[in-house]
């Protein structure tokens, strides 16, 4: 097919029906915000040239954090309605003149690359096409009093999804015409295209391509995702660093004022080192010394965040998620209690794990051994990691 293919992914809604504190497209499913797989689908598809995200003006920070590393056009801000948001995305693409545009809702994170391929082919063949599924339930029309007025012939009914696929120029023209006529109420682009007189074809959708709308949808999707991550593994990690000169220690990524520092090649954060080894242990992918050799001058004095972030990235690369991190620090001093929540927050931030999945505990060794003599401290960690089940 001649010409380029663009995808507009709309994520500008407030998603209040889903409950929770975040707009639904930024809520996590199996360890990543919903919007990320929705955008990644197109960013990594070989037939899609441009991906144009449309976001809410209040969500810039959430958005940047959610999409780090994906190949996308700069996001544009949406409008008050879905239709206005799609129009903003189309107008942003005007200078690039793609031949085909796919319109997708960020709240459908489970669409497959095969569906994208079908949608591009359908748009090339027909100019306007939507993925659809047959209706298996009987559908009735009710009257104003709530009584059944009519039973529809379900053989003629279809549920439609996104990505909806169109020749670019006619869809943009249809959107601009709708605006000029004061029509801002279309709930999907196919309805707008029909109003504008375009013929809209259907192609085969996907049952798994569900739209996350209610709190219930999220609970079901999370359960399905977790069920797919059935390979549950536990890794353990352990680390020791001696005290030396200094006025603070780094522990769990937090700077804690102390009468001594910790000695080590990096910043000597024994807590993050133990956590890193625990995650690598769950993956059976060696240990921190294999991934970051102490002989490498790059890690001299390095902040240990990167070690844990690297191990977490290995989990993601294998399609997995971290279910839980548990850390125990053994020392006589400094006191850990006052810093516990700051450590949990920082570890959760580095690992992309919710706060209620990060535990930090501390104990002394009752003045016994090297920790009792205040010569150093040690840290133990356990990581619970879920990976997709691949039959051995
Ligand atoms: Mg260490």
């Amino acid at each position: 097919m001649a010409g380029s293919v663009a995808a507009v992914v709309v994520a500008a809604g407030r998603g209040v029906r889903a409950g929770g504190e975040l707009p639904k497209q930024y809520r996590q499913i199996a360890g990543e915000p919903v919007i990320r797989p929705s955008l990644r689908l197109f960013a990594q598809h070989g037939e899609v040239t441009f991906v144009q995200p449309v976001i809410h003006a209040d969500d810039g920070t959430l958005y940047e954090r959610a999409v780090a590393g994906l190949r996308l056009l700069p996001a544009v801000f949406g409008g008050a309605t879905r239709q206005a948001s799609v129009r903003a995305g189309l107008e942003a693409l005007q200078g690039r003149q793609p031949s085909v545009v796919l319109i997708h809702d960020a709240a459908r994170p489970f669409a497959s690359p095969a569906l994208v391929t079908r949608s591009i082919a359908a748009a090339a063949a027909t100019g306007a096409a939507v993925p659809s599924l047959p209706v298996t339930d009987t559908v009735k029309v009710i009257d104003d009093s709530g009584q059944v007025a009519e039973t529809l012939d379900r053989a003629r009914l279809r549920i439609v999804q996104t990505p909806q696929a169109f020749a670019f120029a006619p869809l943009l023209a249809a959107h601009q015409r709708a605006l000029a006529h004061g029509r801002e109420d279309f709930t999907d682009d196919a309805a707008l295209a029909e109003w504008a007189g375009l013929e809209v074809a259907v192609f085969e959708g996907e049952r798994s391509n569900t739209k996350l709308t209610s709190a219930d949808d999220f609970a079901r999707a999370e359960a399905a995702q977790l069920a797919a991550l059935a390979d549950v593994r536990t890794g353990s990690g352990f680390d020791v660093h001696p005290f030396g000169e200094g006025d603070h220690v780094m522990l769990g990524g937090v700077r804690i004022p102390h009468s001594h520092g910790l000695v080590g090649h990096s910043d000597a954060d024994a807590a993050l080192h133990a956590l890193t080894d625990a995650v690598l242990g769950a993956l059976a992918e060696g240990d921190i010394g294999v991934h970051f050799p102490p002989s490498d001058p790059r890690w001299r004095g390095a902040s240990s965040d990167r070690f844990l972030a690297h191990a977490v990235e290995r989990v993601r690369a294998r399609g997995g998620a971290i279910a839980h991190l548990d850390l125990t620090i053994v020392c006589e001093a400094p006191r850990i209690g006052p810093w516990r929540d700051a450590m949990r927050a920082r570890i959760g931030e580095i690992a992309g794990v919710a706060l209620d999945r990060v535990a930090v505990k501390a104990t002394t060794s009752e003045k016994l051994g090297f920790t009792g003599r205040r010569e150093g401290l040690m840290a133990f960690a356990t990581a619970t990691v879920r990976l997709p089940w691949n039959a051995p």
Side-chain angles (χ1 to χ4, degrees), residues 238-241 263-274 277 288 304 307:
F238 169 71
D239 198 29
V240 171
H241 281 273
V263 180
H265 186 67
S266 65
D267 67 3
D269 189 329
L272 291 188
H273 296 176
D277 264 356
I288 191 170
S304 296
F307 304 146

Side-chain angles (χ1 to χ4, degrees), residues 33-223:
V34 166
I35 189 174
R36 187 174 174 88
S38 299
L39 287 166
R40 185 174 52 213
L41 170 69
F42 299 100
Q44 296 183 350
H45 194 286
E47 294 176 45
V48 177
T49 321
F50 307 111
V51 185
Q52 177 61 66
V54 183
I55 66 171
H56 192 282
D58 293 346
D59 295 346
T61 309
L62 282 171
Y63 170 78
E64 293 301 335
R65 209 181 301 152
V67 304
L70 295 182
R71 195 177 52 86
L72 307 167
L73 295 177
V76 295
F77 294 143
T81 62
R82 183 186 184 283
Q83 185 183 329
S85 296
V86 172
R87 190 173 62 242
L90 294 172
E91 286 171 350
L93 285 167
Q94 224 169 341
R96 302 179 189 272
Q97 285 297 317
S99 60
V100 165
V101 65
L102 312 178
I103 313 292
H104 189 57
D105 289 321
R108 292 186 189 268
F110 308 122
S112 76
L115 182 64
V116 174
T117 303
R118 281 205 296 284
S119 68
I120 294 168
T126 68
V130 298
S132 79
L133 293 171
V135 174
T136 53
D137 292 323
T138 297
V139 179
K140 299 194 187 288
V141 177
I142 56 169
D143 63 20
D144 290 342
S145 65
Q147 301 283 352
V148 171
E150 190 187 348
T151 298
L152 300 177
D153 174 9
R154 73 182 179 199
R156 295 173 59 85
L157 295 176
R158 294 291 180 274
I159 292 164
V160 304
Q161 308 180 321
T162 69
Q164 301 190 350
F166 303 90
F168 177 78
L171 183 68
L172 176 59
H175 265 271
Q176 289 171 337
R177 195 135 63 85
L179 178 66
H181 282 74
R183 291 292 307 267
E184 281 268 31
D185 54 336
F186 294 109
T187 54
D188 77 344
D189 298 280
L192 186 149
E194 292 155 39
W195 170 84
L198 301 176
E199 301 251 333
V200 180
V202 295
F203 59 95
E204 191 190 349
E206 286 175 339
R207 288 274 169 215
S208 53
N209 178 24
T210 54
K211 184 174 182 181
L212 302 178
T213 301
S214 65
D216 232 34
D217 297 336
F218 272 84
R220 244 196 316 273
E222 185 91 67

Side-chain angles (χ1 to χ4, degrees), residues 241-266:
H241 281 273
F243 285 121
E245 288 192 0
D247 61 0
H248 72 278
V249 297
M250 291 300 295
L251 273 178
V254 174
R255 191 180 198 275
I256 300 177
H258 189 48
S259 56
H260 292 77
L262 286 169
V263 180
H265 186 67
S266 65

